[in-house]
Amino acid sequence: MNGRRALTACARGFAVSWLALVSITLSVLTILSISFIPLGLGVFTTPPLIKAVRAHANWRRLLAATWSGVTIRAPYRPLPADRRAGVTGQVELCTFLLKDPATWRDLLWLQVDMTAGYVTSLLAFVFVPYGIEGFVLAAGVWKPIVEAGGTYWYAFLPIDSLGTALLAVPLGIGFMALGATASPLVLRGHFLLARAFLDPTPQMALEQRVQRLTETRHDAVDTSAAELRRIERDLHDGAQARLVAMGMSLGTVEALIEKDPAKAKELLAAARTNSAEALAELRDLVRGIHPPVLAERGLGDAVRALALRMAVPVEVDVELAGRADEPVESAAYFAVSEVLTNAAKHAGASRMWLDVHHAEGMLRITVTDDGHGGARITPDGGLSGVERRLGTFDGVLAVSSPSGGPTMVTMEIPCALSAPDAAR
């Protein structure tokens, strides 16, 4: 097992060492481009080069997480909304990127990566190959080397005869044993060194947090306003209209009850029907605001009831040891409702799977369908609304939907669960 880890770390260290060439190239080109900004040329070349540097840094972040379990956060400021829409000019974009502190930290990291980073990646690679060299020398390769150039030094061992060449074998075993322990550690050290420069500083992290809270606050306000408008519209067009019609019918009944009792009975029957329909619409409206089953029995039973009402069969697997706060449960419920409805309407699915569980302080919800795939988070789409709803609680949404399917939508909301018997 240690041998496999050593070989894996050795191969990964060798692969990472070649990325130093990319760091050198990007560093030289970016610095030259920035120096050409006063001439006007750099305004056009700097933004794409900075984006290339960020892609290179993000690739290192991915390798750090997958190869050594080192998490390196991305500290970049999001582009302005008008730039995302393709409006902002080249000068404004260049200025925005250069004002981002993360840009200069990336450039500093490039200098470190082409020097200390290159050395650490080579150290992760060198132990095992150097140990193998001891076996190669003992196999007879020592003789032509010595005949051509005299004594050959293998580490601290001078090799000039068969006897000394054979001593290279235990020394090589020692290097390989050292590599089994040191190579993974040195590779991790390489990524920790990168994290020291690529990870956001506390001030940058605080700035990101403030910006995130500002965005989610605006989203929450917009969502609440839209929900209020929907409720007002439903009341005006539905229950209110029926109640007004029922009042008018009752007024007519008062006028006809003595002159035309038969007609009055018909109007009373119609008023009774209107009252029943208005009551049903009010119940549906209340259910849309906060479903009674969610308030009474929690998220697990609420999503089970929701799945039963879907036109497409849904397999539900819920493992919750308690209940989350009411706002979290409500956000999760309506997020699941939106995702299931979208899948039933647009995915062409014949079956869906819903998994809800809580672990390590995180409520995780996965909705999978066997439809044709191709789902994307678009600015005005339903999934974008789900993402904004979850963002209010620092939640995230991820979509995996290759063409041809299947589609998997994963939602995570950080929260704690209360005891099952806790009072609500």
Side-chain angles (χ1 to χ4, degrees), residues 132-194:
I132 295 174
E133 183 182 352
F135 291 87
V136 174
L137 291 171
V141 176
W142 68 272
K143 190 170 184 179
I145 294 177
V146 171
E147 290 176 351
T151 301
Y152 177 78
W153 286 87
Y154 178 57
F156 55 81
L157 178 66
I159 297 178
D160 53 11
S161 64
L162 177 60
T164 54
L166 293 176
L167 291 177
V169 172
L171 185 57
I173 293 175
F175 279 117
M176 295 177 70
L178 178 62
T181 302
S183 290
L185 295 178
V186 174
L187 183 64
R188 180 177 175 83
H190 168 88
F191 292 123
L192 290 174
L193 177 65

Side-chain angles (χ1 to χ4, degrees), residues 11-25:
R12 289 172 175 174
F14 182 72
V16 170
S17 67
W18 285 97
L19 294 179
L21 296 176
V22 181
S23 296
I24 294 172
T25 303

Side-chain angles (χ1 to χ4, degrees), residues 60-196:
R60 193 63 55 91
R61 290 183 174 94
L62 178 61
L63 294 181
T66 55
W67 286 359
S68 293
V70 176
T71 301
I72 306 177
R73 296 167 295 172
Y76 308 118
R77 293 174 178 174
L79 290 176
D82 54 354
R83 180 62 201 179
R84 290 195 292 268
V87 176
T88 301
Q90 195 69 21
V91 175
E92 289 81 359
L93 175 60
C94 184
T95 303
F96 176 84
L97 292 175
L98 290 178
K99 284 184 177 180
D100 190 345
T103 297
W104 301 100
R105 285 178 62 83
D106 282 354
L107 291 176
L108 180 59
W109 167 72
L110 290 178
Q111 318 310 311
V112 175
D113 188 57
M114 70 176 73
T115 52
Y118 178 69
V119 172
T120 53
S121 61
L122 276 184
L123 282 177
F125 161 72
V126 73
F127 291 110
V128 174
Y130 200 55
I132 295 174
E133 183 182 352
F135 291 87
V136 174
L137 291 171
V141 176
W142 68 272
K143 190 170 184 179
I145 294 177
V146 171
E147 290 176 351
T151 301
Y152 177 78
W153 286 87
Y154 178 57
F156 55 81
L157 178 66
I159 297 178
D160 53 11
S161 64
L162 177 60
T164 54
L166 293 176
L167 291 177
V169 172
L171 185 57
I173 293 175
F175 279 117
M176 295 177 70
L178 178 62
T181 302
S183 290
L185 295 178
V186 174
L187 183 64
R188 180 177 175 83
H190 168 88
F191 292 123
L192 290 174
L193 177 65
R195 185 170 70 177

